[in-house]
Amino acid sequence: MKKQLNIVGLIALITAVLGFIFACVPGALIVGWVLLPIAFILAIVSLFLKDKAKWMGVTALITSVVGTIVGVVVFTAVVATSFDNAFGSGDTKVVEPSKDGATEGGATTNASAKAGTRESPYPIGSVIESKDWRVVINSVTLAATDAVVAANQFNKAPAAGSEYILVNYSATYLGDDANGQMPAFVSVDYVTADGNTVDGTKTFAVAPESIDSMSTLYKGATATGNKAFEVPSATAGQGVLAVRAGMLGDKVFVATK
């Protein structure tokens, strides 16, 4: 006996195919995510109908599952691209200052080419630039404990064997975000001579002329100021600074003297 046409299976198959197509289009993902679950449910229902052809239901079931997997992959790629566009590409370039201290005429280096390592850090004054941010370490002041303690009545003296240093840097926003971004997306940390990182957000002392990392910068605007670090006194000048020009910028190292 020839089995009858399975209308539910046919609808499920058409819905699954349309859902699969929309799931592959970044701008129409939501349509695919609506159609694919519907196709999945209809496909299961069609398989339980008596005396009806089952091949369309089976095909619809497989198509809906594969379409969902494809949709997740496309969605992940879209999110990753959006995140990358928002916070920087990771393609960081560095311009070292020339001998007279200016950056013009300095050597341009791609940070991914093993330059600016801890063993061979970039000099102070180097321009570190990603798609969205330009960062310049202007100066590093060692033995700055007195200046930091005097800057704020709540600043505590450093622990025994430690001292405060001050890092003055500038962060310029280069991106196109209409809402602007904060200098907090730029990170500057101190790495000790033995390889331990002093997180720039973990030193609670307020630096004199402190950089306003929570201000909103629009394209072309610059924030400049100091950040205080509590570091081991014996090797303070032997450490390096770890700098990221944006959250996804490459980490490059800058000398402290």
Side-chain angles (χ1 to χ4, degrees):
M1 178 179 177
K2 186 177 180 180
K3 293 187 177 181
Q4 300 177 9
L5 176 65
N6 193 332
I7 301 298
V8 177
L10 177 61
I11 296 174
L13 180 57
I14 294 173
T15 306
V17 171
L18 290 175
F20 188 103
I21 293 172
F22 282 116
C24 296
V25 181
L29 276 171
I30 188 66
V31 178
W33 283 17
V34 171
L35 293 177
L36 288 170
I38 294 175
F40 182 82
I41 294 172
L42 290 175
I44 292 178
V45 171
S46 71
L47 296 178
F48 288 93
L49 297 178
K50 293 183 179 180
D51 300 323
K52 302 291 184 180
K54 300 292 192 292
W55 70 268
M56 285 185 291
V58 173
T59 304
L61 187 65
I62 296 173
T63 303
S64 63
V65 172
V66 175
T68 300
I69 295 173
V70 171
V72 171
V73 172
V74 173
F75 176 76
T76 302
V78 170
V79 171
T81 300
S82 300
F83 190 82
D84 183 66
N85 290 336
F87 299 115
S89 65
D91 184 15
T92 303
K93 296 185 181 300
V94 180
V95 178
E96 298 183 34
S98 58
K99 293 182 179 180
D100 60 4
T103 54
E104 291 187 9
T108 302
T109 309
N110 191 312
S112 63
K114 303 297 183 181
T117 60
R118 284 182 58 214
E119 295 73 19
S120 182
Y122 291 114
I124 293 173
S126 297
V127 178
I128 304 162
E129 187 171 307
S130 66
K131 188 184 75 170
D132 287 339
W133 289 96
R134 178 188 301 126
V135 183
V136 181
I137 303 298
N138 301 311
S139 64
V140 178
T141 304
L142 303 175
T145 296
D146 291 343
V148 173
V149 172
N152 188 287
Q153 61 178 325
F154 296 106
N155 286 351
K156 296 181 179 180
S162 297
E163 66 181 53
Y164 286 119
I165 68 170
L166 287 174
V167 177
N168 183 278
Y169 68 98
S170 299
T172 302
Y173 181 55
L174 306 175
D176 296 316
D177 190 338
N179 296 315
Q181 286 194 17
M182 297 182 295
F185 287 118
V186 169
S187 67
V188 178
D189 299 319
Y190 176 89
V191 181
T192 64
D194 56 3
N196 292 313
T197 298
V198 179
D199 190 330
T201 64
K202 297 296 178 62
T203 298
F204 298 107
V206 178
E209 299 180 12
S210 176
I211 189 167
D212 186 0
S213 61
M214 301 305 292
S215 61
T216 300
L217 302 182
Y218 297 92
K219 188 170 184 176
T222 301
T224 298
N226 293 317
K227 177 178 284 189
F229 294 88
E230 184 176 346
V231 306
S233 298
T235 58
Q238 299 174 26
V240 295
L241 301 176
V243 182
R244 285 188 187 273
M247 291 182 66
L248 295 184
D250 299 299
K251 180 184 291 185
V252 298
F253 295 93
V254 177
T256 55
K257 61 179 182 178

